[in-house]
Amino acid sequence: MLRALLSGLGWRKGIWGCAFSSWQPHQPPAGLSATEVVSHWTVVFEEKGIPEARESSEYIVAHVLGAKTFQSLRPALRTQPLTPWQLQCIQELSSYRLQRMPVQYILGEWDFQGLNLKMAPPVFIPRPETEELVEWVLEEVTQGPRVVGAEGGPLILEVGCGSGAISLSLLSRLPQRVGGGPWSPSLVSEHPASHVPLFLGQSRVTAVDKGEAAICLTHENAQRLRLQDRIQIVPFDVTLVESWAHLLPWGPVDLVVSNPPYVFHRDMENLAPEILRYEDPVALDGGEEGMDIITHILALAPQLLKDSGIFLEVDPRHPELVGSWLQSQPDLPLNLVAVRRDFRGRPRFLHIRRSGPQRVSPVDAWPGRQPARVPG
Amino acid sequence: MSTSGLFRFPAPLTRVCPVPWGLRLCEKLPLLSPGTVATPVQAAGKKDRPTLLSLDERELEEQFVKGHGPGGQATNKTSNCVVLRHVPSGIVVKCHQTRSVDQNRKLARRILQEKVDVFYNGENSLVCREKREAEKRKQERKKRAKETLEKKKLLKEQWESSKNVP
């Protein structure tokens, strides 16, 4: 556990130089229990205006004691005195929180859809809303029209993979293969009508990102989760190319999923210091109306898309904007077919599908096609 | 504690509970996104455990991720504590067991289900009945162990005495 602690902070050189210094601001008195230490740091954070003072303190203390949340700690562990080493670790991690570092970066790991993923700045931290996006894609894949390609499937393309959260959670929930492969019990019990094997081959993902750090982190998380054989991670900037044809080593994809940068440029400066100081702005800034990357994805996706379409997470203002934009692109055979709300009741997710009958395979169609004009 | 009336099943729900409880399968709820189906909360895990009384989502008030702000990419919050209140009884459950809001919501419902069961059914609630059954099994095991020990002792004495017979 301590190794994980060190590696989580290792990206910042020289921190261990101050680990054992005698000057320790805010250090609580010795002999306190976990509960008392949490209260101590909560007060310190509150005095310094740190948001989520209690939650931050709880996560840090729980992490040092080897648990994911404070409430999940055995009551006995919460009441016995902490060792000087534990207090030291808590002090160190808390000093980062005082500098507004997000808790996920401080701990160096976070959970998404039940998977534990490594986190490292400046790679974008997965948001809880995005778990709902994964659920929707899984529903579509298991309940929607059956799609079986040359390789079996489903074949998924993720644009802007970041830490790999979406791709890896999809892979971990999708059946690996028919017959011999491990079945995900959750799929069978939630969709009892569809425990007939759906796919003749492996479900696979191509994950792309323009950031080098994201590519590395997704690789690392794929290996941690032993999913590296089913994911292809490709450095790629979707805004710099006119076609995605070379992303088709396995043929056309069954669906495209993305949590693209969608923050309106004018909103960027209002973001919390946690985000502005530590996360890559490129992963957030979507241009004037937050639509730049979205429109690129929509413009190019039909070239490699089969049936199921495109699943996006967006800003609540986007359903209308995307609807209008699609209408302004008559050559683009896409329709906005569904909008889904997040757990806060905000319109957050879009499902866009090919409109009209599929004439030929998208790969055959693209050489002669002119891609739709992309604004900006 | 007398054991006579305790293993009867509780009276039909409509008599015990002030509000009619039933299965609400396909209600569209403001708490859930339109795509999901509201399922009654079932006691999961143990197969032969009789199911707890279902909670009606409309009687629940839920609160999570307070003061959220714009949400999505524009926010980075780690608080996924779920506070769930059962309005008719006033029971409140706070769950922060996991890092997933979804998981915490499910766990909160399970815990609330048990607490509401105890509230309305008292000694007849599932939790109390299971405790008593576990205690009963424990006592029986102790008794059997004691009997076995005594038998062994008796046999040993018999064998000892048979040895001494010339």
Side-chain angles (χ1 to χ4, degrees), chain A residues 271-310:
Chain A
L271 299 180
E274 279 80 4
I275 302 173
L276 283 179
R277 287 187 208 172
Y278 296 95
E279 284 186 298
D280 188 355
V282 165
L284 295 153
D285 193 338
E288 194 185 329
E289 288 194 314
M291 291 275 285
D292 289 3
I293 292 85
I294 295 172
T295 50
H296 269 103
I297 293 173
L298 295 178
L300 297 173
Q303 291 178 21
L304 40 64
L305 201 62
K306 284 191 282 186
D307 252 359
S308 295
I310 305 155

Side-chain angles (χ1 to χ4, degrees), chain A residues 178-197:
Chain A
V178 164
W183 266 105
S184 164
S186 66
L187 280 181
V188 175
S189 61
E190 285 167 29
H191 310 290
S194 60
H195 55 246
V196 174

Side-chain angles (χ1 to χ4, degrees), chain A residues 13 20-21 24 108 118 149 163 190 281 286 294 315 323 331-332 373:
Chain A
K13 293 203 165 82
F20 298 104
S21 77
Q24 293 177 2
K118 181 177 169 183
S163 57
E190 285 167 29
I294 295 172
D315 181 278
D331 289 338
L332 199 55
R373 268 187 62 76

Side-chain angles (χ1 to χ4, degrees), chain B residues 46-63:
Chain B
K46 308 178 187 178
K47 270 195 193 154
D48 48 3
R49 195 190 201 202
T51 48
L52 282 173
L53 312 169
S54 306
L55 293 177
D56 188 344
E57 283 286 337
R58 295 175 308 182
E59 290 166 353
L60 303 181
E61 267 172 17
E62 194 174 28
Q63 198 191 327

Side-chain angles (χ1 to χ4, degrees), chain A residues 35 38-39 42 45-46 50-59:
Chain A
T35 308
V38 163
S39 296
T42 302
F45 292 154
E46 277 169 354
I50 308 293
E52 298 195 301
R54 175 154 289 272
E55 288 85 349
S56 305
S57 181
E58 285 181 348
Y59 278 123

Side-chain angles (χ1 to χ4, degrees), chain A residues 129 248 370:
Chain A
E129 285 91 340
L248 301 177
Q370 294 300 313

Side-chain angles (χ1 to χ4, degrees), chain A residues 52 55 58-59 68-69 71-72 102-104 107 109-111 116 124-125 127 129 131-132 259-263 271 275 284 340-341 343-344 346 348, chain B residues 30-36 64-81 94-102 105-106:
Chain A
E52 298 195 301
E55 288 85 349
E58 285 181 348
Y59 278 123
K68 285 194 179 179
T69 70
Q71 200 184 64
S72 69
V103 166
Q104 299 94 331
L107 304 188
E109 47 91 9
W110 200 244
D111 285 24
N116 188 254
F124 178 80
I125 295 166
R127 306 303 199 239
E129 285 91 340
E131 293 188 330
E132 179 73 42
N259 180 17
Y262 60 69
V263 176
L271 299 180
I275 302 173
L284 295 153
R340 181 138 145 167
R341 293 175 184 269
F343 57 75
R344 299 268 302 166
R346 299 193 176 106
R348 182 65 67 185
Chain B
L31 294 172
L32 303 178
S33 57
T36 52
F64 43 87
V65 200
K66 30 186 193 213
H68 201 52
Q73 289 174 0
T75 308
N76 180 16
K77 296 285 183 187
T78 55
S79 59
N80 42 41
C81 180
K94 207 169 159 185
C95 181
H96 197 182
Q97 285 277 334
T98 76
R99 290 175 177 176
S100 157
V101 168
D102 223 39
R105 293 180 77 193
K106 288 185 183 144

